[in-house]
Amino acid sequence: MPKDKIAQLLKSPQPANSLSKVLGQSERVKDIVEECADDLSSVNAGLKSELLDGETSPGVENALEKSEAVEGKVQNASEELSLVNMALKEELQKRAILQERLAAEILQGEKARHASLHDPLTGLPNRALFNDRLEHGLAHAKRNGISLVVMFVDLDDFKSINDTHGHDVGDIVLKTIAGRIKQASRDEDTVCRHGGDEFLYILVEIKNERDITTIAEKIIATISAPCDIRIRDVNISLVIQPSIGVAMFPADGTTADSLVANADKAMYEAKRNKSGFTLFSSL
């Protein structure tokens, strides 16, 4: 729908419900006018009948002519009201169609925006949304002098799952792991799929390394629980071990890029040592 029509609908001075009210009032007036026209017609018919039966006087004939003229005006008014009411009904129908189209376009726009900011497989925020939230988180942390943590999570030997069981199984595993990490996270934190079998996790207002250790261990335990999958009538049980790298603002970086890069370095160290997780500060 063209933008000018959407703007016209949104700026309309008379909403559809007001028009419906006006239409109802107009139809009631039309009914009254039609009743008056019918009454005048009956009166005039009676007068004509009486005049035919008796003597006529110029005054009575003049009154009858005036009454018939009024009857004609009332009938014309009734016809004009019918046209007005038809126009109002058409306007209501047009507005209803425009509102439906507008609602559909708004919904489509919301779906498109969601798709542009979320991973299609897992439904998690994608890198674009992650970067936006990380920038906002850093700005908040700098203003308030608080900490912020970036965790880089990688699934060990994930390629072998795709090679052995196929990408369908791999996708199920990724969705399962994504759901587990999301469920283990706090409402104020952000989990995103960085790509492939990698996830990024923003944690705000973490007080010390002990809290980081507790959270990292919780994520490892959550991820490494067996994934029981049934696909094509085959049951598969897989255990995935993650490697996590941790970088904290401001000690390990003061920008989004530096924090992600240092968390990535720490993750590779955790993978090399098979330690589960590694703090960048310990490298």
Side-chain angles (χ1 to χ4, degrees):
M1 180 169 58
K3 291 182 178 178
D4 58 340
K5 287 188 177 181
I6 296 176
Q8 182 181 0
L9 176 62
L10 293 175
K11 295 178 181 179
S12 174
Q14 195 169 42
N17 58 350
S18 296
L19 282 180
S20 296
K21 184 177 179 180
V22 171
L23 177 59
Q25 293 171 339
S26 182
E27 287 181 335
R28 285 193 293 273
V29 171
K30 177 179 175 294
D31 291 339
I32 294 171
V33 171
E34 286 180 346
E35 288 179 7
C36 291
D38 291 341
D39 291 344
L40 277 170
S41 180
S42 297
V43 169
N44 292 340
L47 285 173
K48 287 180 181 178
S49 177
E50 290 181 7
L51 288 173
L52 290 174
D53 294 338
E55 294 182 358
T56 61
S57 67
V60 173
E61 289 181 350
N62 186 43
L64 177 60
E65 289 177 0
K66 289 181 179 180
S67 182
E68 287 177 336
V70 171
E71 178 188 346
K73 290 180 181 180
V74 173
Q75 288 176 340
N76 290 336
S78 176
E79 292 173 0
E80 290 179 4
L81 275 172
S82 294
L83 294 175
V84 169
N85 292 346
M86 287 177 61
L88 281 171
K89 288 177 181 178
E90 290 178 1
E91 181 64 21
L92 280 170
Q93 291 173 349
K94 289 178 182 178
R95 284 172 178 264
I97 292 171
L98 286 175
Q99 287 172 342
E100 287 178 3
R101 290 179 180 176
L102 178 60
E105 291 205 6
I106 290 173
L107 179 61
Q108 186 63 33
E110 291 175 349
K111 288 181 178 178
R113 183 177 182 278
H114 184 275
S116 70
L117 296 174
H118 291 79
D119 173 53
L121 177 64
T122 64
L124 292 177
N126 60 18
R127 278 181 286 182
L129 183 53
F130 174 87
N131 290 336
D132 180 71
R133 290 186 178 176
L134 181 54
E135 291 291 353
H136 279 84
L138 282 172
H140 177 73
K142 290 173 182 178
R143 283 196 305 269
N144 296 279
I146 58 178
S147 62
L148 178 145
V149 170
V150 173
M151 288 189 176
F152 202 120
V153 183
D154 180 86
L155 307 182
D156 297 345
D157 301 319
F158 181 79
K159 184 176 180 298
S160 65
I161 294 175
N162 285 331
D163 293 342
T164 304
H165 302 286
H167 287 277
D168 288 347
V169 172
D171 287 348
I172 294 173
V173 170
L174 287 173
K175 287 191 285 187
T176 301
I177 298 302
R180 289 177 179 180
I181 300 175
K182 179 64 179 176
Q183 188 173 12
S185 67
R186 302 173 301 176
D187 291 340
E188 61 268 30
D189 297 335
T190 297
V191 180
C192 99
R193 186 184 179 198
H194 186 61
D197 61 334
E198 296 175 337
F199 300 88
L200 286 168
Y201 185 11
I202 305 172
L203 300 96
V204 297
E205 297 187 28
I206 299 298
K207 296 179 180 179
N208 50 55
E209 289 188 3
R210 183 176 60 190
D211 290 342
I212 296 174
T213 298
T214 300
I215 294 170
E217 289 175 346
K218 179 182 178 181
I219 293 174
I220 291 171
T222 299
I223 293 175
S224 59
C227 289
D228 295 322
I229 299 168
R230 182 174 178 80
I231 185 169
R232 293 184 290 273
D233 296 328
V234 176
N235 294 319
I236 303 171
S237 184
L238 299 170
V239 176
I240 294 89
Q241 296 293 337
S243 293
I244 302 175
V246 182
M248 178 182 284
F249 168 86
D252 302 330
T254 57
T255 66
D257 289 342
S258 63
L259 285 170
V260 172
N262 290 338
D264 188 22
K265 292 176 183 177
M267 181 272 293
Y268 275 105
E269 182 65 17
K271 187 179 289 289
R272 187 177 69 83
N273 292 330
K274 300 186 183 302
S275 59
F277 73 94
T278 296
L279 305 178
F280 181 78
S281 58
S282 66
L283 297 181

